[in-house]
Amino acid sequence: MHFTSEQRFDDGVLEREFTLGEIPGTLWTPESAAAAPLILMAHNNGLPKAEPRLVARARYTAARGYAVATIDAAGCGDRPRSAAAEQARAEIRRAMQAGEQVDEIFESFIGPLVENAVPEWQTTLDALLELPEIGSRVGYSGGWTALGIRLAVAEPRIAAAGFFAGGYVPRVQREEARQVTIPLLFLLQWDDEGNPRQRALDLFDAFGSKEKTLHANLGGHTGTPWFELEDGCRFLDRHLK
């Protein structure tokens, strides 16, 4: 892991960009970092690690005493883009805006993207846990629910997870949800234009966790109330601190 830049903010959070082979990422750590629990924070597939909503969540969480890390998925952010991937993303957006079925397009594109992303996240996790300022407790938080499900199944070091939305998740991950047994906090925007409500509710029902909590709020996809971030940190405190 090679750190390429750093910036310290007024809230005491240190932001460092890093590269790990071909993987670009960002790590936020609190000023008083001493074996801080680690949160892997992923945004929706196709959106970069520098997306403002993700950065805001990461800095807030780091200020609460967590180390927070994110990486760019293949084909987004600082990584080379392929014409095929860009076409698939554009077709998904067009079909959703037109109210058409997107399942087959989604399966053919997102399914392989998840499978390829998991080993990169595990490699990143290995490297992060070698840093002295990061402790052994690990959680997941993010809007890429399919990735979170696959990681929760494949990676025993993840002890708790917060998921956003979840209407469109590949069939494989919908089945894998039954194998997820860690504590969960599931956020749902009731009027989310990009995630069918009933699908999200069905996914929540499918999780095998004995402790799982659903928070639903009125509003569209980007309208999640800010207080949910505070509640999310309290959820992480209960399970990682």
Side-chain angles (χ1 to χ4, degrees):
M1 177 172 285
H2 176 62
F3 288 103
T4 58
S5 68
E6 68 175 49
Q7 181 177 4
R8 190 174 295 279
F9 298 99
D10 292 340
D11 56 6
V13 172
L14 176 64
E15 176 187 276
R16 287 175 286 175
E17 300 289 328
F18 66 82
T19 58
L20 186 60
E22 297 180 353
I23 306 169
T26 308
L27 174 65
W28 295 266
T29 49
E31 188 171 28
S32 57
L38 173 64
I39 307 300
L40 304 178
M41 190 170 285
H43 208 38
N44 291 350
N45 41 277
L47 292 178
K49 60 183 174 59
E51 208 280 333
R53 284 180 292 153
L54 183 145
V55 173
R57 293 203 315 272
R59 285 185 55 186
Y60 181 92
T61 306
R64 288 283 297 258
Y66 290 92
V68 182
T70 190
I71 61 175
D72 277 335
C76 76
D78 292 334
R79 302 184 69 170
R81 295 177 177 268
S82 73
E86 291 299 289
Q87 182 178 354
R89 289 190 175 99
E91 183 59 22
I92 290 173
R93 288 193 295 267
R94 185 205 62 77
M96 291 179 68
Q97 291 169 358
E100 299 174 0
Q101 290 292 324
V102 300
D103 292 86
E104 293 309 315
I105 307 171
F106 194 85
E107 291 286 340
S108 63
F109 176 58
I110 302 300
L113 192 63
V114 169
E115 289 300 319
N116 292 333
V118 167
E120 294 190 337
W121 277 93
Q122 290 180 304
T123 297
T124 303
L125 177 57
D126 290 341
L128 289 168
L129 291 179
E130 293 181 0
L131 299 177
E133 63 267 36
I134 295 179
S136 60
R137 301 288 286 172
V138 182
Y140 175 90
S141 175
W144 195 356
T145 300
L147 172 66
I149 293 171
R150 182 86 275 276
L151 275 173
V153 172
E155 184 46 72
R157 289 174 290 186
I158 295 177
F163 295 143
F164 306 154
Y168 283 112
V169 172
R171 285 187 290 268
V172 171
Q173 274 70 59
R174 299 187 81 84
E175 288 299 318
E176 285 184 321
R178 305 182 190 282
Q179 303 174 43
V180 176
T181 58
I182 59 176
L184 294 178
L185 176 61
F186 192 88
L187 300 186
L188 170 64
Q189 285 300 102
W190 203 244
D191 308 300
D192 192 332
E193 61 280 5
N195 283 278
R197 182 191 307 163
Q198 191 57 53
R199 286 194 182 202
L201 292 172
D202 290 344
L203 179 63
F204 176 76
D205 189 48
F207 285 118
S209 302
K210 291 182 178 180
E211 180 182 336
K212 55 181 179 179
T213 301
L214 172 67
H215 287 185
N217 293 281
L218 297 177
H221 185 69
T222 60
T224 303
W226 186 251
F227 62 74
E228 288 291 2
L229 185 53
E230 183 179 359
D231 286 348
C233 284
R234 285 200 292 265
F235 165 79
L236 295 171
D237 289 347
R238 288 197 301 273
H239 299 290
L240 300 179
K241 286 188 174 180

